[in-house]
PDB file of all heavy atoms in Angstrom:
ATOM      1  N   GLY E  57      20.995 -59.884 -22.754  1.00 91.00           N
ATOM      2  CA  GLY E  57      21.965 -60.598 -21.942  1.00 91.00           C
ATOM      3  C   GLY E  57      23.340 -60.482 -22.419  1.00 91.00           C
ATOM      4  O   GLY E  57      24.303 -60.337 -21.708  1.00 91.00           O
ATOM      5  N   ILE E  58      23.548 -60.451 -23.753  1.00 91.00           N
ATOM      6  CA  ILE E  58      24.846 -60.336 -24.351  1.00 91.00           C
ATOM      7  C   ILE E  58      25.366 -59.012 -23.993  1.00 91.00           C
ATOM      8  O   ILE E  58      26.560 -58.844 -23.561  1.00 91.00           O
ATOM      9  CB  ILE E  58      24.782 -60.542 -25.901  1.00 91.00           C
ATOM     10  CG1 ILE E  58      24.516 -62.008 -26.255  1.00 91.00           C
ATOM     11  CG2 ILE E  58      26.017 -60.019 -26.661  1.00 91.00           C
ATOM     12  CD1 ILE E  58      24.102 -62.290 -27.613  1.00 91.00           C
ATOM     13  N   TYR E  59      24.616 -57.888 -24.162  1.00 91.00           N
ATOM     14  CA  TYR E  59      25.060 -56.570 -23.828  1.00 91.00           C
ATOM     15  C   TYR E  59      25.391 -56.451 -22.352  1.00 91.00           C
ATOM     16  O   TYR E  59      26.435 -55.922 -21.948  1.00 91.00           O
ATOM     17  CB  TYR E  59      23.919 -55.577 -24.129  1.00 91.00           C
ATOM     18  CG  TYR E  59      23.961 -55.121 -25.551  1.00 91.00           C
ATOM     19  CD1 TYR E  59      23.081 -55.750 -26.486  1.00 91.00           C
ATOM     20  CD2 TYR E  59      24.829 -54.186 -26.063  1.00 91.00           C
ATOM     21  CE1 TYR E  59      23.041 -55.404 -27.782  1.00 91.00           C
ATOM     22  CE2 TYR E  59      24.800 -53.708 -27.412  1.00 91.00           C
ATOM     23  CZ  TYR E  59      23.952 -54.393 -28.300  1.00 91.00           C
ATOM     24  OH  TYR E  59      23.859 -54.113 -29.566  1.00 91.00           O
ATOM     25  N   GLU E  60      24.589 -57.044 -21.551  1.00 91.00           N
ATOM     26  CA  GLU E  60      24.856 -56.920 -20.002  1.00 91.00           C
ATOM     27  C   GLU E  60      26.154 -57.681 -19.688  1.00 91.00           C
ATOM     28  O   GLU E  60      26.912 -57.160 -18.925  1.00 91.00           O
ATOM     29  CB  GLU E  60      23.665 -57.510 -19.296  1.00 91.00           C
ATOM     30  CG  GLU E  60      22.452 -56.751 -19.314  1.00 91.00           C
ATOM     31  CD  GLU E  60      21.102 -57.285 -18.660  1.00 91.00           C
ATOM     32  OE1 GLU E  60      21.279 -58.568 -18.463  1.00 91.00           O
ATOM     33  OE2 GLU E  60      20.224 -56.609 -18.443  1.00 91.00           O
ATOM     34  N   GLN E  61      26.366 -58.803 -20.322  1.00 89.00           N
ATOM     35  CA  GLN E  61      27.570 -59.497 -20.091  1.00 89.00           C
ATOM     36  C   GLN E  61      28.848 -58.692 -20.436  1.00 89.00           C
ATOM     37  O   GLN E  61      29.766 -58.535 -19.621  1.00 89.00           O
ATOM     38  CB  GLN E  61      27.619 -60.837 -20.861  1.00 89.00           C
ATOM     39  CG  GLN E  61      28.866 -61.680 -20.772  1.00 89.00           C
ATOM     40  CD  GLN E  61      28.942 -62.822 -21.697  1.00 89.00           C
ATOM     41  OE1 GLN E  61      27.887 -63.451 -22.068  1.00 89.00           O
ATOM     42  NE2 GLN E  61      30.150 -63.167 -22.232  1.00 89.00           N
ATOM     43  N   VAL E  62      28.889 -58.190 -21.603  1.00 91.00           N
ATOM     44  CA  VAL E  62      29.951 -57.368 -22.086  1.00 91.00           C
ATOM     45  C   VAL E  62      30.234 -56.102 -21.163  1.00 91.00           C
ATOM     46  O   VAL E  62      31.336 -55.937 -20.747  1.00 91.00           O
ATOM     47  CB  VAL E  62      29.852 -57.029 -23.555  1.00 91.00           C
ATOM     48  CG1 VAL E  62      30.795 -55.894 -23.919  1.00 91.00           C
ATOM     49  CG2 VAL E  62      29.942 -58.174 -24.416  1.00 91.00           C
ATOM     50  N   LEU E  63      29.144 -55.450 -20.929  1.00 93.00           N
ATOM     51  CA  LEU E  63      29.255 -54.176 -20.152  1.00 93.00           C
ATOM     52  C   LEU E  63      29.596 -54.450 -18.722  1.00 93.00           C
ATOM     53  O   LEU E  63      30.378 -53.649 -18.106  1.00 93.00           O
ATOM     54  CB  LEU E  63      28.062 -53.329 -20.280  1.00 93.00           C
ATOM     55  CG  LEU E  63      27.903 -52.820 -21.778  1.00 93.00           C
ATOM     56  CD1 LEU E  63      26.549 -52.146 -22.033  1.00 93.00           C
ATOM     57  CD2 LEU E  63      28.987 -51.684 -22.042  1.00 93.00           C
ATOM     58  N   ASP E  64      28.986 -55.417 -18.114  1.00 93.00           N
ATOM     59  CA  ASP E  64      29.248 -55.769 -16.736  1.00 93.00           C
ATOM     60  C   ASP E  64      30.692 -56.201 -16.599  1.00 93.00           C
ATOM     61  O   ASP E  64      31.453 -55.701 -15.672  1.00 93.00           O
ATOM     62  CB  ASP E  64      28.286 -56.776 -16.217  1.00 93.00           C
ATOM     63  CG  ASP E  64      26.920 -56.265 -15.948  1.00 93.00           C
ATOM     64  OD1 ASP E  64      26.667 -55.033 -16.036  1.00 93.00           O
ATOM     65  OD2 ASP E  64      25.986 -57.088 -15.737  1.00 93.00           O
ATOM     66  N   GLU E  65      31.191 -57.123 -17.429  1.00 93.00           N
ATOM     67  CA  GLU E  65      32.609 -57.509 -17.406  1.00 93.00           C
ATOM     68  C   GLU E  65      33.495 -56.297 -17.551  1.00 93.00           C
ATOM     69  O   GLU E  65      34.490 -56.156 -16.883  1.00 93.00           O
ATOM     70  CB  GLU E  65      32.881 -58.587 -18.435  1.00 93.00           C
ATOM     71  CG  GLU E  65      32.248 -59.924 -18.189  1.00 93.00           C
ATOM     72  CD  GLU E  65      32.497 -60.921 -19.259  1.00 93.00           C
ATOM     73  OE1 GLU E  65      33.025 -60.581 -20.389  1.00 93.00           O
ATOM     74  OE2 GLU E  65      32.065 -62.054 -19.125  1.00 93.00           O
ATOM     75  N   SER E  66      33.186 -55.470 -18.525  1.00 95.00           N
ATOM     76  CA  SER E  66      34.089 -54.237 -18.869  1.00 95.00           C
ATOM     77  C   SER E  66      34.084 -53.332 -17.637  1.00 95.00           C
ATOM     78  O   SER E  66      35.125 -52.814 -17.370  1.00 95.00           O
ATOM     79  CB  SER E  66      33.574 -53.529 -20.124  1.00 95.00           C
ATOM     80  OG  SER E  66      33.639 -54.445 -21.251  1.00 95.00           O
ATOM     81  N   LEU E  67      33.031 -53.058 -17.048  1.00 96.00           N
ATOM     82  CA  LEU E  67      32.900 -52.161 -16.033  1.00 96.00           C
ATOM     83  C   LEU E  67      33.677 -52.591 -14.764  1.00 96.00           C
ATOM     84  O   LEU E  67      34.459 -51.983 -14.156  1.00 96.00           O
ATOM     85  CB  LEU E  67      31.454 -51.858 -15.691  1.00 96.00           C
ATOM     86  CG  LEU E  67      31.272 -50.748 -14.533  1.00 96.00           C
ATOM     87  CD1 LEU E  67      31.903 -49.493 -14.817  1.00 96.00           C
ATOM     88  CD2 LEU E  67      29.736 -50.575 -14.284  1.00 96.00           C
ATOM     89  N   ALA E  68      33.546 -53.895 -14.376  1.00 97.00           N
ATOM     90  CA  ALA E  68      34.240 -54.542 -13.327  1.00 97.00           C
ATOM     91  C   ALA E  68      35.759 -54.449 -13.538  1.00 97.00           C
ATOM     92  O   ALA E  68      36.502 -54.083 -12.591  1.00 97.00           O
ATOM     93  CB  ALA E  68      33.663 -55.959 -13.051  1.00 97.00           C
ATOM     94  N   SER E  69      36.084 -54.835 -14.708  1.00 97.00           N
ATOM     95  CA  SER E  69      37.496 -54.798 -15.147  1.00 97.00           C
ATOM     96  C   SER E  69      38.093 -53.383 -15.015  1.00 97.00           C
ATOM     97  O   SER E  69      39.162 -53.211 -14.476  1.00 97.00           O
ATOM     98  CB  SER E  69      37.759 -55.407 -16.498  1.00 97.00           C
ATOM     99  OG  SER E  69      38.962 -55.301 -16.864  1.00 97.00           O
ATOM    100  N   ALA E  70      37.393 -52.447 -15.545  1.00 98.00           N
ATOM    101  CA  ALA E  70      37.836 -51.044 -15.572  1.00 98.00           C
ATOM    102  C   ALA E  70      38.038 -50.517 -14.173  1.00 98.00           C
ATOM    103  O   ALA E  70      39.063 -49.900 -13.764  1.00 98.00           O
ATOM    104  CB  ALA E  70      36.869 -50.108 -16.393  1.00 98.00           C
ATOM    105  N   ARG E  71      37.137 -50.812 -13.285  1.00 98.00           N
ATOM    106  CA  ARG E  71      37.219 -50.336 -11.953  1.00 98.00           C
ATOM    107  C   ARG E  71      38.423 -51.048 -11.242  1.00 98.00           C
ATOM    108  O   ARG E  71      39.071 -50.334 -10.399  1.00 98.00           O
ATOM    109  CB  ARG E  71      35.878 -50.622 -11.104  1.00 98.00           C
ATOM    110  CG  ARG E  71      34.783 -49.735 -11.534  1.00 98.00           C
ATOM    111  CD  ARG E  71      33.443 -50.081 -10.897  1.00 98.00           C
ATOM    112  NE  ARG E  71      32.492 -49.056 -11.154  1.00 98.00           N
ATOM    113  CZ  ARG E  71      31.135 -49.331 -11.109  1.00 98.00           C
ATOM    114  NH1 ARG E  71      30.619 -50.527 -10.763  1.00 98.00           N
ATOM    115  NH2 ARG E  71      30.245 -48.367 -11.397  1.00 98.00           N
ATOM    116  N   ALA E  72      38.610 -52.292 -11.489  1.00 98.00           N
ATOM    117  CA  ALA E  72      39.734 -52.919 -10.799  1.00 98.00           C
ATOM    118  C   ALA E  72      41.088 -52.435 -11.413  1.00 98.00           C
ATOM    119  O   ALA E  72      41.998 -52.181 -10.604  1.00 98.00           O
ATOM    120  CB  ALA E  72      39.597 -54.492 -11.157  1.00 98.00           C
ATOM    121  N   ILE E  73      41.183 -52.122 -12.641  1.00 98.00           N
ATOM    122  CA  ILE E  73      42.292 -51.576 -13.297  1.00 98.00           C
ATOM    123  C   ILE E  73      42.709 -50.247 -12.650  1.00 98.00           C
ATOM    124  O   ILE E  73      43.810 -49.927 -12.299  1.00 98.00           O
ATOM    125  CB  ILE E  73      42.192 -51.496 -14.793  1.00 98.00           C
ATOM    126  CG1 ILE E  73      42.308 -52.863 -15.441  1.00 98.00           C
ATOM    127  CG2 ILE E  73      43.213 -50.499 -15.419  1.00 98.00           C
ATOM    128  CD1 ILE E  73      41.895 -52.881 -16.890  1.00 98.00           C
ATOM    129  N   VAL E  74      41.769 -49.382 -12.538  1.00 98.00           N
ATOM    130  CA  VAL E  74      42.017 -48.018 -11.950  1.00 98.00           C
ATOM    131  C   VAL E  74      42.296 -48.200 -10.580  1.00 98.00           C
ATOM    132  O   VAL E  74      43.292 -47.443 -10.072  1.00 98.00           O
ATOM    133  CB  VAL E  74      40.660 -47.163 -12.128  1.00 98.00           C
ATOM    134  CG1 VAL E  74      40.899 -45.865 -11.296  1.00 98.00           C
ATOM    135  CG2 VAL E  74      40.428 -46.786 -13.584  1.00 98.00           C
ATOM    136  N   ALA E  75      41.773 -48.998  -9.793  1.00 98.00           N
ATOM    137  CA  ALA E  75      42.087 -49.152  -8.259  1.00 98.00           C
ATOM    138  C   ALA E  75      43.447 -49.664  -8.109  1.00 98.00           C
ATOM    139  O   ALA E  75      44.159 -49.338  -7.138  1.00 98.00           O
ATOM    140  CB  ALA E  75      41.078 -50.129  -7.652  1.00 98.00           C
ATOM    141  N   ALA E  76      43.935 -50.546  -9.048  1.00 98.00           N
ATOM    142  CA  ALA E  76      45.349 -51.160  -8.846  1.00 98.00           C
ATOM    143  C   ALA E  76      46.451 -50.320  -9.528  1.00 98.00           C
ATOM    144  O   ALA E  76      47.603 -50.589  -9.247  1.00 98.00           O
ATOM    145  CB  ALA E  76      45.330 -52.494  -9.601  1.00 98.00           C
ATOM    146  N   ALA E  77      46.068 -49.385 -10.377  1.00 98.00           N
ATOM    147  CA  ALA E  77      47.132 -48.660 -11.103  1.00 98.00           C
ATOM    148  C   ALA E  77      47.916 -47.727 -10.124  1.00 98.00           C
ATOM    149  O   ALA E  77      47.316 -47.055  -9.308  1.00 98.00           O
ATOM    150  CB  ALA E  77      46.547 -47.797 -12.210  1.00 98.00           C
ATOM    151  N   PRO E  78      49.249 -47.639 -10.310  1.00 98.00           N
ATOM    152  CA  PRO E  78      50.084 -46.793  -9.553  1.00 98.00           C
ATOM    153  C   PRO E  78      49.889 -45.222  -9.792  1.00 98.00           C
ATOM    154  O   PRO E  78      50.026 -44.456  -8.986  1.00 98.00           O
ATOM    155  CB  PRO E  78      51.526 -47.193  -9.812  1.00 98.00           C
ATOM    156  CG  PRO E  78      51.454 -47.866 -11.129  1.00 98.00           C
ATOM    157  CD  PRO E  78      50.053 -48.501 -11.316  1.00 98.00           C
ATOM    158  N   THR E  79      49.487 -44.974 -11.040  1.00 97.00           N
ATOM    159  CA  THR E  79      49.258 -43.545 -11.348  1.00 97.00           C
ATOM    160  C   THR E  79      48.020 -43.486 -12.342  1.00 97.00           C
ATOM    161  O   THR E  79      47.666 -44.442 -12.919  1.00 97.00           O
ATOM    162  CB  THR E  79      50.456 -42.945 -12.245  1.00 97.00           C
ATOM    163  OG1 THR E  79      50.559 -43.605 -13.488  1.00 97.00           O
ATOM    164  CG2 THR E  79      51.791 -43.128 -11.433  1.00 97.00           C
ATOM    165  N   PRO E  80      47.388 -42.446 -12.409  1.00 97.00           N
ATOM    166  CA  PRO E  80      46.294 -42.191 -13.451  1.00 97.00           C
ATOM    167  C   PRO E  80      46.670 -42.505 -14.855  1.00 97.00           C
ATOM    168  O   PRO E  80      45.878 -43.143 -15.565  1.00 97.00           O
ATOM    169  CB  PRO E  80      45.815 -40.776 -13.184  1.00 97.00           C
ATOM    170  CG  PRO E  80      46.273 -40.320 -11.886  1.00 97.00           C
ATOM    171  CD  PRO E  80      47.529 -41.158 -11.581  1.00 97.00           C
ATOM    172  N   LEU E  81      47.867 -42.052 -15.243  1.00 97.00           N
ATOM    173  CA  LEU E  81      48.290 -42.330 -16.569  1.00 97.00           C
ATOM    174  C   LEU E  81      48.436 -43.882 -16.905  1.00 97.00           C
ATOM    175  O   LEU E  81      48.042 -44.321 -17.867  1.00 97.00           O
ATOM    176  CB  LEU E  81      49.547 -41.697 -16.933  1.00 97.00           C
ATOM    177  CG  LEU E  81      50.067 -41.850 -18.396  1.00 97.00           C
ATOM    178  CD1 LEU E  81      49.071 -41.405 -19.359  1.00 97.00           C
ATOM    179  CD2 LEU E  81      51.396 -41.115 -18.530  1.00 97.00           C
TER     180      LEU E  81
END
Side-chain angles (χ1 to χ4, degrees):
I58 290 167
Y59 279 97
E60 289 175 345
Q61 174 187 329
V62 168
L63 291 168
D64 289 350
E65 287 176 358
S66 297
L67 184 55
S69 173
R71 287 177 173 154
I73 286 168
V74 170
T79 68
L81 182 58

